[in-house]
Structure formats: C-alpha cells, structure tokens
Amino acid sequence: MNNENTALYAFKKYGNTVLRAAFAFSGSYAEAEDIVQDVFLSLHTNPQNFNSDEHLKAWLLRAAINKCKNFRRSFRFSRTCSIDDLEHSEVICEMDTESRELRQQIAALPKKYAEVIFLHYYEGYSIKEIASMLNKNENTVGSLLRRGREKLKAELEEEGDLCQVKIIKTL
C-alpha cells in the first residue's frame, strides 16, 4: 500500500472503529467526529509505514485516544454538554437500553479502567495488545482490567441493577 492511499484505505476500513473509540473517550459525538477527522488528516499529511493492518489499527486508536486526552484537558471540554444531553445521537440510538446503560456506567469509571475495558471488551484487543498501545506493562493492564470489572460490578450491585450485574459476570 502506498502512502498516498493509506489514509483513504484506513478510513474506509477503520473509520467506524476510530469513531466509536473517540466517542467512548470524549463523551461527545460531535467532538468524536472532529477527533476522527484530525486523526485521518494527520495520517494523510504525515504518512507512516505500517507492518500490518493491525499495526495501522493500533496506531489509529492510539492517535484517537491521545487526541481525546488533549480534548479532555482543553477549555472547550468544560464548556460542552454531557453525554446525557446526547440521548438522541446516532451512536447512542444504535444501542439497546441495557447496552447504553452499561456503556454509560463504564464511561463513569475512572479513565484508566474505562480505557482498558473499552479496548478489551468493545474492540476485542488482548491484554498484550492493550499494553503495547498504552505503553504499559501487561500485568498493569491485567490489574486495571480486573479492578475495573470489580469496580463496575460493585457499582451496579449498589444500584441494584441485577441485569447489568449478570452481563458483568460474563465479562
């Protein structure tokens, strides 16, 4: 694949995946769209060489996560609406009620837990792949994943949401 077509190929193949990740980490569909645009524009203007499609996908997700972190630090983040105000957005409406509630519970977790849970369960990455993406030790990622699940389960049990607790037990 030549560098001129890399961004177009990546967008066609991984555009929705990057959008879902950006939405999950930014909490705003509009911001997620902007972040995705920035990621692919960055890839287009500064072409990279990738060993495989998985390497490309990991790079795109890492770039999106980094841009989300920058967004969350920005002044604009404190001046935008919450995810609850986006009840009718396209991404949220695609999910059933239980999935939406679970996703909101995951998003409410501390960022370090939400990040690894999303990458592992929603994007299907292994602990080793997540460790590589986040530049963390595999044992650290495994611990974050375990603690995140425990914290999520405890919060759901506290709220008495037994349906969601059953879902968590399958995670």
Side-chain angles (χ1 to χ4, degrees):
M1 167 174 33
N2 66 26
N3 287 338
E4 293 177 16
N5 296 328
T6 303
L8 181 59
Y9 170 79
F11 181 76
K12 286 180 180 178
K13 187 159 184 172
Y14 300 115
N16 288 333
T17 301
V18 176
L19 180 61
R20 283 193 314 270
F23 177 72
F25 290 105
S26 70
S28 166
Y29 187 74
E31 291 301 328
E33 288 178 324
D34 289 345
I35 288 166
V36 169
Q37 182 178 350
D38 287 346
V39 168
F40 286 101
L41 183 62
S42 175
L43 180 60
H44 179 70
T45 57
N46 301 312
Q48 308 285 322
N49 290 321
F50 299 101
N51 299 332
S52 65
D53 279 359
E54 283 302 310
H55 182 210
L56 170 62
K57 183 179 177 183
W59 184 91
L60 292 168
L61 288 172
R62 182 74 255 163
I65 290 168
N66 287 340
K67 288 189 183 292
C68 287
K69 285 180 181 179
N70 292 342
F71 165 69
R72 293 179 82 73
R73 284 189 218 118
S74 71
F75 175 76
R76 190 169 58 171
F77 176 72
S78 64
R79 301 290 183 230
T80 57
C81 63
S82 71
I83 196 167
D84 296 331
D85 297 336
L86 298 173
E87 198 65 32
H88 301 288
S89 77
E90 182 181 325
V91 173
I92 292 177
C93 289
E94 289 176 3
M95 295 187 262
D96 64 0
T97 304
E98 279 186 3
S99 297
R100 184 175 340 131
E101 289 172 3
L102 181 59
R103 183 64 198 110
Q104 289 172 342
Q105 288 287 342
I106 292 169
L109 290 173
K111 191 172 185 305
K112 61 184 179 181
Y113 301 131
E115 191 173 55
V116 296
I117 287 174
F118 176 80
L119 290 172
H120 187 71
Y121 292 107
Y122 285 83
E123 292 302 324
Y125 282 102
S126 69
I127 290 175
K128 184 177 183 175
E129 292 169 324
I130 296 169
S132 174
M133 270 191 263
L134 301 178
N135 296 322
K136 295 185 184 216
N137 185 302
E138 288 180 41
N139 292 333
T140 303
V141 171
S143 294
L144 290 172
L145 196 55
R146 181 181 43 78
R147 289 179 192 146
R149 281 191 303 250
E150 290 170 358
K151 189 166 183 59
L152 185 60
K153 182 180 173 187
E155 288 177 12
L156 292 172
E157 286 176 343
E158 184 178 300
E159 291 178 8
D161 197 345
L162 298 176
C163 292
Q164 297 292 11
V165 172
K166 289 178 185 175
I167 293 171
I168 294 302
K169 287 182 180 178
T170 63
L171 298 179

Coordinates of all heavy atoms in Angstrom, one line a residue, residues 72-146:
R72 N -10.0 16.4 26.5 CA -10.4 16.5 27.9 C -9.7 17.5 28.7 O -10.2 18.0 29.7 CB -10.4 15.1 28.5 CG -11.3 14.1 27.8 CD -11.3 12.7 28.4 NE -12.0 12.6 29.6 CZ -13.4 12.5 29.7 NH1 -14.1 12.6 28.6 NH2 -14.0 12.3 30.9
R73 N -8.5 17.8 28.3 CA -7.7 18.8 29.0 C -8.0 20.2 28.6 O -7.6 21.2 29.2 CB -6.2 18.6 28.8 CG -5.6 17.4 29.6 CD -4.1 17.4 29.4 NE -3.7 16.0 29.4 CZ -3.0 15.5 28.4 NH1 -2.7 16.2 27.3 NH2 -2.7 14.2 28.4
S74 N -8.7 20.4 27.5 CA -8.9 21.7 26.9 C -10.1 22.4 27.6 O -10.9 21.9 28.3 CB -9.3 21.5 25.4 OG -10.6 21.0 25.3
F75 N -10.1 23.7 27.4 CA -11.1 24.6 27.9 C -12.4 24.3 27.3 O -13.4 24.3 28.0 CB -10.7 26.1 27.6 CG -11.8 27.1 28.0 CD1 -11.9 27.4 29.3 CD2 -12.6 27.6 27.1 CE1 -12.9 28.3 29.7 CE2 -13.6 28.5 27.5 CZ -13.7 28.9 28.8
R76 N -12.5 23.9 26.1 CA -13.7 23.6 25.4 C -14.4 22.4 26.0 O -15.7 22.4 26.1 CB -13.4 23.3 23.9 CG -14.7 23.2 23.1 CD -14.4 23.2 21.6 NE -13.5 22.1 21.3 CZ -13.2 21.7 20.1 NH1 -13.7 22.4 19.1 NH2 -12.4 20.7 19.8
F77 N -13.7 21.5 26.6 CA -14.3 20.3 27.2 C -15.2 20.7 28.4 O -16.3 20.2 28.6 CB -13.3 19.3 27.7 CG -13.8 18.2 28.5 CD1 -14.5 17.2 27.8 CD2 -13.7 18.1 29.8 CE1 -15.1 16.1 28.5 CE2 -14.2 17.0 30.5 CZ -14.9 16.0 29.8
S78 N -14.8 21.7 29.1 CA -15.5 22.1 30.3 C -16.8 22.9 29.9 O -17.6 23.2 30.7 CB -14.7 22.9 31.3 OG -14.3 24.1 30.6
R79 N -16.9 23.3 28.6 CA -18.0 24.1 28.2 C -18.9 23.4 27.2 O -19.7 24.0 26.6 CB -17.5 25.3 27.4 CG -16.6 26.2 28.2 CD -17.4 26.9 29.3 NE -16.6 27.8 30.0 CZ -16.5 27.9 31.3 NH1 -17.2 27.1 32.1 NH2 -15.7 28.7 31.9
T80 N -18.8 22.0 27.2 CA -19.7 21.3 26.3 C -20.8 20.5 27.2 O -20.6 20.4 28.4 CB -18.9 20.2 25.5 OG1 -18.2 19.4 26.4 CG2 -18.0 20.9 24.5
C81 N -21.8 20.0 26.5 CA -22.8 19.3 27.2 C -22.4 17.9 27.6 O -21.4 17.3 27.0 CB -24.1 19.3 26.4 SG -23.9 18.3 24.8
S82 N -23.1 17.3 28.5 CA -22.8 16.0 29.0 C -23.3 14.9 28.0 O -24.1 15.2 27.2 CB -23.3 15.7 30.4 OG -24.7 15.6 30.3
I83 N -22.9 13.7 28.2 CA -23.4 12.6 27.4 C -24.9 12.4 27.6 O -25.5 11.9 26.6 CB -22.6 11.3 27.7 CG1 -22.8 10.3 26.6 CG2 -23.0 10.7 29.0 CD1 -21.8 9.1 26.6
D84 N -25.4 12.7 28.7 CA -26.9 12.6 29.0 C -27.7 13.5 28.0 O -28.8 13.2 27.7 CB -27.2 12.9 30.4 CG -26.6 12.0 31.4 OD1 -26.4 10.8 31.0 OD2 -26.3 12.4 32.5
D85 N -27.1 14.6 27.6 CA -27.8 15.5 26.7 C -27.8 15.0 25.3 O -28.5 15.5 24.4 CB -27.1 16.9 26.7 CG -27.3 17.5 28.1 OD1 -28.2 17.2 28.9 OD2 -26.4 18.4 28.4
L86 N -27.0 14.0 25.0 CA -26.9 13.4 23.6 C -27.8 12.2 23.5 O -27.5 11.3 22.6 CB -25.5 13.1 23.3 CG -24.5 14.3 23.3 CD1 -23.1 13.8 23.2 CD2 -24.9 15.3 22.3
E87 N -28.8 12.1 24.2 CA -29.7 10.9 24.2 C -30.1 10.4 22.8 O -30.3 9.3 22.6 CB -30.9 11.1 25.1 CG -31.6 9.9 25.6 CD -30.7 9.0 26.5 OE1 -29.9 9.5 27.2 OE2 -30.9 7.8 26.4
H88 N -30.3 11.4 21.9 CA -30.8 11.0 20.6 C -29.7 11.0 19.5 O -30.0 11.0 18.4 CB -31.9 12.0 20.2 CG -33.0 11.9 21.2 ND1 -33.9 10.9 21.3 CD2 -33.4 12.8 22.2 CE1 -34.8 11.1 22.3 NE2 -34.5 12.3 22.8
S89 N -28.5 11.0 19.9 CA -27.4 11.0 18.9 C -27.4 9.6 18.2 O -27.8 8.6 18.7 CB -26.0 11.3 19.5 OG -25.6 10.2 20.2
E90 N -26.8 9.6 17.0 CA -26.8 8.4 16.2 C -26.2 7.2 16.9 O -26.6 6.1 16.8 CB -26.1 8.8 14.9 CG -26.0 7.7 13.9 CD -25.3 8.1 12.7 OE1 -25.3 9.3 12.3 OE2 -24.6 7.2 12.1
V91 N -25.0 7.4 17.5 CA -24.3 6.3 18.1 C -25.1 5.7 19.3 O -25.2 4.5 19.4 CB -22.9 6.8 18.6 CG1 -22.2 5.7 19.4 CG2 -22.0 7.2 17.4
I92 N -25.6 6.6 20.1 CA -26.4 6.1 21.3 C -27.6 5.4 20.8 O -28.0 4.3 21.4 CB -26.7 7.2 22.3 CG1 -25.4 7.7 22.9 CG2 -27.6 6.7 23.4 CD1 -25.5 8.8 23.8
C93 N -28.3 5.9 19.9 CA -29.6 5.3 19.4 C -29.4 3.9 18.8 O -30.3 3.1 18.8 CB -30.3 6.2 18.4 SG -30.9 7.6 19.2
E94 N -28.2 3.6 18.3 CA -27.9 2.3 17.7 C -27.9 1.2 18.8 O -28.0 0.0 18.5 CB -26.6 2.3 17.0 CG -26.6 3.1 15.7 CD -25.3 3.1 15.0 OE1 -24.3 2.5 15.5 OE2 -25.2 3.8 14.0
M95 N -27.6 1.6 20.1 CA -27.5 0.6 21.1 C -28.9 0.4 21.8 O -29.7 1.3 21.9 CB -26.5 1.1 22.2 CG -25.1 1.3 21.7 SD -24.0 1.7 23.1 CE -23.9 3.5 22.9
D96 N -29.1 -0.8 22.3 CA -30.3 -1.0 23.1 C -30.1 -0.4 24.5 O -29.0 0.0 24.8 CB -30.6 -2.5 23.1 CG -29.6 -3.4 23.9 OD1 -28.6 -2.8 24.4 OD2 -29.8 -4.6 24.0
T97 N -31.2 -0.4 25.2 CA -31.2 0.3 26.5 C -30.2 -0.3 27.5 O -29.4 0.5 28.1 CB -32.6 0.3 27.1 OG1 -33.5 0.8 26.2 CG2 -32.6 1.1 28.4
E98 N -30.1 -1.6 27.6 CA -29.1 -2.2 28.5 C -27.7 -1.9 28.1 O -26.9 -1.6 29.0 CB -29.3 -3.7 28.5 CG -30.4 -4.2 29.4 CD -30.5 -5.7 29.5 OE1 -29.6 -6.4 29.0 OE2 -31.4 -6.2 30.2
S99 N -27.4 -2.0 26.8 CA -26.0 -1.7 26.3 C -25.7 -0.2 26.6 O -24.6 0.1 27.0 CB -25.9 -2.0 24.9 OG -26.1 -3.3 24.6
R100 N -26.6 0.7 26.4 CA -26.4 2.1 26.6 C -26.1 2.4 28.1 O -25.2 3.1 28.4 CB -27.6 2.9 26.1 CG -27.4 4.4 26.2 CD -28.5 5.2 25.6 NE -29.3 4.5 24.7 CZ -30.7 4.5 24.8 NH1 -31.3 5.2 25.7 NH2 -31.4 3.8 23.9
E101 N -26.9 1.8 28.9 CA -26.7 2.0 30.4 C -25.4 1.4 30.8 O -24.7 2.0 31.6 CB -27.9 1.3 31.2 CG -29.2 2.1 31.0 CD -30.4 1.3 31.6 OE1 -30.1 0.3 32.2 OE2 -31.5 1.8 31.5
L102 N -25.0 0.2 30.3 CA -23.7 -0.4 30.7 C -22.6 0.5 30.2 O -21.6 0.8 30.9 CB -23.6 -1.8 30.1 CG -22.3 -2.5 30.4 CD1 -22.1 -2.6 31.9 CD2 -22.4 -3.9 29.8
R103 N -22.7 1.0 28.9 CA -21.7 1.9 28.4 C -21.5 3.1 29.2 O -20.4 3.6 29.4 CB -22.0 2.2 26.9 CG -21.0 3.0 26.2 CD -19.7 2.2 26.1 NE -18.6 3.1 25.8 CZ -17.6 3.4 26.7 NH1 -17.6 2.8 27.9 NH2 -16.7 4.2 26.4
Q104 N -22.6 3.7 29.7 CA -22.6 4.9 30.5 C -21.9 4.6 31.8 O -21.2 5.4 32.4 CB -24.0 5.5 30.7 CG -24.5 6.1 29.4 CD -26.0 6.5 29.5 OE1 -26.7 6.1 30.4 NE2 -26.4 7.4 28.6
Q105 N -22.2 3.4 32.4 CA -21.6 3.0 33.6 C -20.1 2.9 33.4 O -19.3 3.3 34.3 CB -22.2 1.7 34.2 CG -23.6 1.8 34.7 CD -23.6 2.5 36.0 OE1 -22.6 2.7 36.7 NE2 -24.7 3.0 36.4
I106 N -19.7 2.3 32.3 CA -18.2 2.1 32.0 C -17.6 3.5 31.9 O -16.5 3.7 32.4 CB -18.0 1.2 30.8 CG1 -18.4 -0.2 31.1 CG2 -16.6 1.3 30.3 CD1 -18.5 -1.1 29.9
A107 N -18.3 4.4 31.2 CA -17.7 5.7 31.0 C -17.6 6.5 32.3 O -16.7 7.4 32.4 CB -18.6 6.5 30.0
A108 N -18.4 6.1 33.3 CA -18.4 6.8 34.6 C -17.2 6.3 35.4 O -16.9 7.0 36.4 CB -19.7 6.7 35.3
L109 N -16.6 5.2 35.1 CA -15.5 4.7 35.8 C -14.3 5.6 35.7 O -14.2 6.4 34.7 CB -15.1 3.3 35.3 CG -16.0 2.1 35.5 CD1 -15.5 0.9 34.8 CD2 -16.1 1.8 37.0
P110 N -13.3 5.6 36.6 CA -12.1 6.3 36.4 C -11.5 6.0 35.0 O -11.6 4.8 34.5 CB -11.2 5.9 37.5 CG -12.1 5.4 38.6 CD -13.3 4.8 37.8
K111 N -10.9 6.9 34.3 CA -10.5 6.8 33.0 C -9.5 5.6 32.7 O -9.6 4.9 31.7 CB -9.7 8.1 32.6 CG -9.4 8.2 31.1 CD -8.9 9.6 30.8 CE -8.7 9.9 29.4 NZ -7.9 9.0 28.6
K112 N -8.7 5.3 33.7 CA -7.7 4.2 33.5 C -8.4 2.9 33.4 O -8.0 2.0 32.7 CB -6.7 4.2 34.6 CG -7.2 4.0 36.0 CD -6.1 4.1 37.1 CE -6.7 3.9 38.5 NZ -5.7 4.1 39.5
Y113 N -9.6 2.7 34.1 CA -10.3 1.5 34.0 C -11.2 1.5 32.7 O -11.3 0.5 32.0 CB -11.2 1.3 35.2 CG -10.4 1.3 36.5 CD1 -10.8 2.0 37.6 CD2 -9.3 0.4 36.7 CE1 -10.1 2.0 38.8 CE2 -8.6 0.4 37.9 CZ -9.0 1.2 38.9 OH -8.3 1.1 40.1
A114 N -11.8 2.6 32.5 CA -12.7 2.7 31.3 C -12.0 2.4 30.0 O -12.5 1.7 29.1 CB -13.4 4.0 31.2
E115 N -10.8 2.9 29.9 CA -9.9 2.8 28.7 C -9.6 1.3 28.4 O -9.9 0.8 27.3 CB -8.6 3.6 29.0 CG -7.8 3.8 27.8 CD -6.6 4.7 28.1 OE1 -5.9 4.4 29.0 OE2 -6.5 5.7 27.3
V116 N -9.2 0.6 29.4 CA -8.8 -0.8 29.2 C -10.1 -1.7 29.0 O -10.0 -2.6 28.2 CB -7.9 -1.4 30.3 CG1 -6.6 -0.7 30.3 CG2 -8.5 -1.4 31.6
I117 N -11.1 -1.4 29.7 CA -12.4 -2.2 29.5 C -12.9 -2.0 28.1 O -13.3 -2.9 27.4 CB -13.4 -1.8 30.6 CG1 -13.0 -2.4 31.9 CG2 -14.8 -2.3 30.2 CD1 -13.9 -2.0 33.1
F118 N -12.9 -0.7 27.6 CA -13.4 -0.5 26.3 C -12.5 -1.2 25.2 O -13.0 -1.9 24.3 CB -13.4 1.0 26.0 CG -13.8 1.3 24.6 CD1 -15.1 1.4 24.2 CD2 -12.8 1.6 23.6 CE1 -15.5 1.6 22.9 CE2 -13.2 1.8 22.3 CZ -14.5 1.9 21.9
L119 N -11.2 -1.1 25.3 CA -10.3 -1.7 24.3 C -10.4 -3.2 24.4 O -10.4 -3.9 23.3 CB -8.9 -1.2 24.6 CG -8.6 0.2 24.2 CD1 -7.2 0.6 24.7 CD2 -8.8 0.5 22.7
H120 N -10.6 -3.8 25.5 CA -10.7 -5.2 25.7 C -12.0 -5.8 25.2 O -12.1 -6.7 24.4 CB -10.4 -5.7 27.1 CG -10.2 -7.1 27.3 ND1 -9.2 -7.9 26.8 CD2 -11.0 -8.1 27.9 CE1 -9.3 -9.1 27.1 NE2 -10.4 -9.3 27.7
Y121 N -13.1 -5.3 25.8 CA -14.4 -5.8 25.5 C -15.1 -5.3 24.3 O -15.9 -6.0 23.6 CB -15.3 -5.7 26.7 CG -14.8 -6.6 27.9 CD1 -14.2 -6.0 29.0 CD2 -14.9 -8.0 27.8 CE1 -13.7 -6.8 30.0 CE2 -14.4 -8.8 28.8 CZ -13.8 -8.2 29.9 OH -13.3 -9.0 30.9
Y122 N -14.9 -4.0 24.0 CA -15.6 -3.5 22.8 C -14.8 -3.6 21.6 O -15.4 -3.7 20.5 CB -16.0 -2.0 23.1 CG -17.2 -1.9 24.1 CD1 -16.9 -1.9 25.5 CD2 -18.5 -1.7 23.7 CE1 -18.0 -1.8 26.4 CE2 -19.5 -1.6 24.5 CZ -19.3 -1.7 25.9 OH -20.3 -1.6 26.8
E123 N -13.5 -3.5 21.6 CA -12.7 -3.5 20.4 C -12.0 -4.9 20.3 O -11.4 -5.1 19.3 CB -11.7 -2.4 20.4 CG -12.3 -1.0 20.3 CD -13.1 -0.9 19.0 OE1 -12.7 -1.4 18.0 OE2 -14.2 -0.2 19.1
G124 N -12.0 -5.7 21.3 CA -11.5 -7.1 21.2 C -10.0 -7.2 21.3 O -9.5 -8.3 20.8
Y125 N -9.3 -6.3 21.8 CA -7.9 -6.4 21.9 C -7.5 -7.2 23.1 O -8.1 -7.2 24.2 CB -7.2 -5.0 22.1 CG -7.1 -4.2 20.8 CD1 -8.0 -3.2 20.5 CD2 -6.2 -4.5 19.9 CE1 -8.0 -2.6 19.3 CE2 -6.1 -3.9 18.7 CZ -7.0 -2.9 18.4 OH -6.9 -2.2 17.2
S126 N -6.4 -7.9 23.0 CA -5.8 -8.7 24.1 C -5.1 -7.8 25.1 O -4.8 -6.7 24.7 CB -4.9 -9.8 23.6 OG -3.7 -9.2 23.1
I127 N -4.8 -8.4 26.2 CA -4.1 -7.6 27.2 C -2.7 -7.2 26.7 O -2.3 -6.0 26.9 CB -4.0 -8.4 28.5 CG1 -5.3 -8.5 29.2 CG2 -2.9 -7.8 29.5 CD1 -5.4 -9.4 30.4
K128 N -2.1 -8.1 26.0 CA -0.8 -7.8 25.4 C -0.8 -6.6 24.4 O 0.0 -5.7 24.4 CB -0.2 -9.0 24.7 CG 1.2 -8.9 24.2 CD 1.7 -10.2 23.6 CE 3.1 -10.0 23.1 NZ 3.7 -11.3 22.6
E129 N -1.9 -6.6 23.6 CA -2.0 -5.6 22.6 C -2.4 -4.2 23.2 O -1.8 -3.2 22.8 CB -3.2 -5.9 21.6 CG -2.8 -7.1 20.7 CD -4.0 -7.6 19.9 OE1 -5.1 -7.6 20.5 OE2 -3.8 -8.0 18.8
I130 N -3.2 -4.3 24.3 CA -3.5 -3.0 25.0 C -2.3 -2.5 25.7 O -2.1 -1.3 25.7 CB -4.7 -3.3 26.0 CG1 -6.0 -3.7 25.3 CG2 -4.9 -2.1 26.9 CD1 -7.0 -4.2 26.2
A131 N -1.5 -3.3 26.3 CA -0.3 -2.9 26.9 C 0.6 -2.2 26.0 O 1.2 -1.2 26.3 CB 0.4 -4.1 27.6
S132 N 0.7 -2.7 24.8 CA 1.5 -2.1 23.7 C 1.0 -0.8 23.3 O 1.7 0.2 23.2 CB 1.6 -3.1 22.5 OG 2.3 -2.4 21.5
M133 N -0.3 -0.7 23.1 CA -1.0 0.6 22.7 C -0.8 1.7 23.8 O -0.6 2.8 23.4 CB -2.5 0.3 22.5 CG -2.8 0.0 21.1 SD -4.6 0.0 20.9 CE -5.0 -1.7 21.1
L134 N -1.0 1.3 25.0 CA -1.0 2.3 26.1 C 0.4 2.5 26.8 O 0.5 3.2 27.7 CB -2.0 1.9 27.2 CG -3.4 1.7 26.7 CD1 -4.3 1.3 27.9 CD2 -3.9 3.0 26.1
N135 N 1.4 1.7 26.2 CA 2.8 1.8 26.8 C 2.8 1.5 28.3 O 3.4 2.2 29.1 CB 3.4 3.2 26.5 CG 3.6 3.4 25.1 OD1 3.9 2.6 24.3 ND2 3.3 4.7 24.7
K136 N 2.1 0.4 28.6 CA 2.0 -0.1 30.0 C 2.5 -1.5 30.0 O 2.4 -2.3 29.0 CB 0.6 0.1 30.6 CG 0.2 1.5 30.7 CD -1.1 1.6 31.4 CE -1.5 3.1 31.3 NZ -2.2 3.5 32.5
N137 N 2.8 -2.0 31.2 CA 3.2 -3.4 31.4 C 1.9 -4.3 31.3 O 0.8 -3.8 31.7 CB 3.8 -3.5 32.8 CG 4.3 -4.9 33.1 OD1 3.6 -5.9 33.1 ND2 5.6 -4.9 33.5
E138 N 2.1 -5.5 30.8 CA 0.9 -6.4 30.6 C 0.3 -6.7 32.0 O -1.0 -6.7 32.1 CB 1.4 -7.7 30.0 CG 1.7 -7.6 28.5 CD 2.1 -8.9 27.9 OE1 1.5 -9.9 28.3 OE2 3.1 -8.9 27.1
N139 N 1.1 -6.8 33.0 CA 0.5 -7.1 34.4 C -0.3 -5.9 34.8 O -1.4 -6.1 35.5 CB 1.6 -7.4 35.4 CG 2.2 -8.8 35.1 OD1 1.6 -9.6 34.5 ND2 3.5 -8.9 35.5
T140 N 0.1 -4.7 34.5 CA -0.6 -3.5 34.9 C -1.9 -3.4 34.2 O -3.0 -3.2 34.8 CB 0.2 -2.2 34.5 OG1 1.5 -2.3 35.2 CG2 -0.5 -1.0 34.9
V141 N -2.0 -3.7 32.9 CA -3.2 -3.7 32.1 C -4.2 -4.8 32.7 O -5.3 -4.6 32.9 CB -2.9 -4.0 30.6 CG1 -4.2 -4.2 29.9 CG2 -2.2 -2.8 30.1
G142 N -3.6 -6.0 33.0 CA -4.5 -7.0 33.6 C -5.1 -6.6 34.9 O -6.2 -6.9 35.2
S143 N -4.3 -6.0 35.7 CA -4.8 -5.5 37.0 C -5.8 -4.4 36.8 O -6.8 -4.4 37.5 CB -3.6 -4.9 37.9 OG -2.7 -5.9 38.2
L144 N -5.6 -3.5 35.9 CA -6.6 -2.4 35.6 C -7.9 -3.0 35.1 O -8.9 -2.6 35.5 CB -6.0 -1.4 34.6 CG -4.9 -0.5 35.1 CD1 -4.3 0.3 33.9 CD2 -5.3 0.4 36.2
L145 N -7.8 -4.0 34.3 CA -9.0 -4.7 33.8 C -9.7 -5.4 34.9 O -11.0 -5.2 35.0 CB -8.5 -5.7 32.7 CG -9.6 -6.2 31.8 CD1 -10.3 -5.1 31.0 CD2 -8.9 -7.2 30.7
R146 N -9.0 -6.1 35.8 CA -9.7 -6.8 36.9 C -10.3 -5.8 37.8 O -11.5 -5.9 38.2 CB -8.6 -7.7 37.6 CG -9.2 -8.5 38.8 CD -8.2 -9.3 39.5 NE -6.9 -8.7 39.7 CZ -6.7 -7.8 40.7 NH1 -7.7 -7.4 41.5 NH2 -5.5 -7.2 40.9

